Amino acid sequence: MLRVEAVSVCGSDMHYYTEGGIGSAVIRTPMTPGHEFAGTVIGGTGEAFGLADGTLVAVDPAQHCGRCEQCHAGYPNLCPNVRFLGSPGVDGGLAEYISVPPESLHPVPAGFSPALTALLEPLGVALHALDITRLKPLSGVTVLGAGPIGLMAAQVARVCGAGHVRLVDPRAARREQALALGADSVHADYREVMELTDGRGEDYVLEATTSPDAPEQAAQLARIGGRVTLIGIPDGDRFEMGAANARRKGLIIKLSRRMGHVYPRAIELVRSGRVNIESIATHHYAMRDTKRAFEDAHAAAPGFLKAVIYPGGVLPEP
């Protein structure tokens, strides 16, 4: 049993909020959202598993079956039988209390805040995306979209040995935030990167937007023989990509879904200071202000990156 300390609002939460579903995952009955969250073990319920009361834990929201072909092959993120907290049919962590299986819990080091601990989930998504991208050291990386996942993916790419990391986002405030988090250069349009490379294009392009146009832009930007990894969930659940360009370039295109078993590495990336994710939590809300948190996340005013809600009512110092 956990007392929920912090819940961060994800882009997929916003698809549920604005569209009522993601593809076939449609909300048909009332649902408690929240899959990026941190909690404290209470009531002696963790003692049998080595988790004392008061232990702050990150929660893996994906409860894989462990029996299917995908789980046995090492792809639990593709498990068709998964119970995913905060998705249609499965209540999530935006509540004062929640009970979860002990194998879903990951204790965090002393000094981790609840907000930082909640953000380990999207960091895991970024880490998984780099895992399947198979980045070669000193190769060039361009990230389309300087939202939370894009900013995290850019930092993980640096850790993985990227020679340079560029960010593309039409919003000036997001470009400034990308520079503050270590991007080598930022651009308002992907064609600026094409000009920067004299038309060659980029070795690796990571797409982390909600735009149905971004996958095509990623394919245009990737060099001949390059790799494109699609991380974002497009508005309307559809995107288009020109066949001739992608085929003639011989692009390797990967679609990233959630994550595998990455929490220990995500925790170590933060503990060792290799990535900075806590600054991505830009706006903080009490539970009673949840509606405003979702509305602010939808509006995404300049300077807004991530909303964090505190069901227990303990907000960080201003």
Side-chain angles (χ1 to χ4, degrees):
M1 180 67 70
L2 304 180
R3 181 178 63 244
V4 180
E5 306 292 354
V7 184
S8 54
V9 178
C10 176
S12 61
D13 293 327
M14 296 312 301
H15 282 286
Y16 290 132
Y17 182 69
T18 60
E19 301 175 34
I22 302 173
S24 60
V26 178
I27 298 175
R28 303 188 187 282
T29 58
M31 180 192 90
T32 301
H35 62 272
E36 301 177 359
F37 66 99
T40 299
V41 178
I42 60 171
T45 56
E47 292 178 358
F49 311 101
L51 297 170
D53 280 0
T55 300
L56 181 64
V57 294
V59 182
D60 186 342
Q63 299 170 8
H64 314 108
C65 75
R67 301 182 302 276
C68 68
E69 176 184 358
Q70 289 73 25
C71 284
H72 283 298
Y75 303 108
N77 60 304
L78 303 179
C79 173
N81 307 312
V82 66
R83 293 184 75 255
F84 194 83
L85 300 178
S87 64
V90 185
D91 285 335
L94 190 54
E96 292 180 284
Y97 302 96
I98 188 172
S99 60
V100 294
E103 58 269 21
S104 298
L105 304 183
H106 299 271
V108 297
F112 274 42
S113 70
L116 174 60
T117 302
L119 291 179
L120 290 170
E121 199 278 345
L123 178 60
V125 171
L127 185 53
H128 174 74
L130 266 297
D131 282 346
I132 66 172
T133 298
R134 299 186 178 182
L135 177 66
K136 291 183 179 180
L138 297 183
S139 298
V141 174
T142 294
V143 180
L144 301 183
I149 295 293
L151 293 172
M152 292 181 185
Q155 294 183 70
V156 176
R158 178 76 75 195
V159 174
C160 291
H164 63 254
V165 180
R166 302 173 173 129
L167 269 290
V168 177
D169 198 292
R171 294 160 289 190
R174 292 283 175 96
R175 296 196 298 273
E176 292 175 5
Q177 289 160 324
L179 283 174
L181 290 173
D184 291 296
S185 65
V186 294
H187 307 272
D189 190 286
Y190 78 96
R191 283 166 288 208
E192 295 177 20
V193 180
M194 289 298 294
E195 294 175 5
L196 197 62
T197 62
D198 294 323
R200 173 186 179 270
E202 192 63 276
D203 297 322
Y204 296 85
V205 182
L206 309 178
E207 182 276 325
T209 81
T210 60
S211 170
D213 300 322
E216 169 61 15
Q217 295 174 8
Q220 291 290 336
L221 178 55
R223 68 164 171 83
I224 294 172
R227 285 177 177 255
V228 171
T229 302
L230 304 180
I231 312 171
I233 300 174
D235 292 335
D237 193 42
R238 299 190 68 85
F239 66 82
E240 292 186 2
M241 181 182 292
N245 172 67
R247 185 180 68 251
R248 288 169 183 164
K249 286 184 175 180
L251 297 180
I252 296 173
I253 301 172
K254 302 287 289 185
L255 282 80
S256 187
R257 174 173 168 79
R258 294 176 179 166
M259 71 183 85
H261 299 299
V262 300
Y263 269 89
R265 285 187 292 150
I267 291 170
E268 179 59 19
L269 282 174
V270 174
R271 188 206 64 78
S272 62
R274 289 182 171 91
V275 300
N276 174 359
I277 64 171
E278 190 156 27
S279 63
I280 291 172
T282 54
H283 289 65
H284 304 269
Y285 304 83
M287 186 74 149
R288 64 179 177 274
D289 297 321
T290 292
K291 182 180 179 182
R292 181 161 61 88
F294 273 75
E295 290 173 345
D296 289 351
H298 179 56
F304 184 98
L305 280 174
K306 195 78 160 174
V308 181
I309 302 165
Y310 298 83
V314 182
L315 278 69
E317 294 289 334

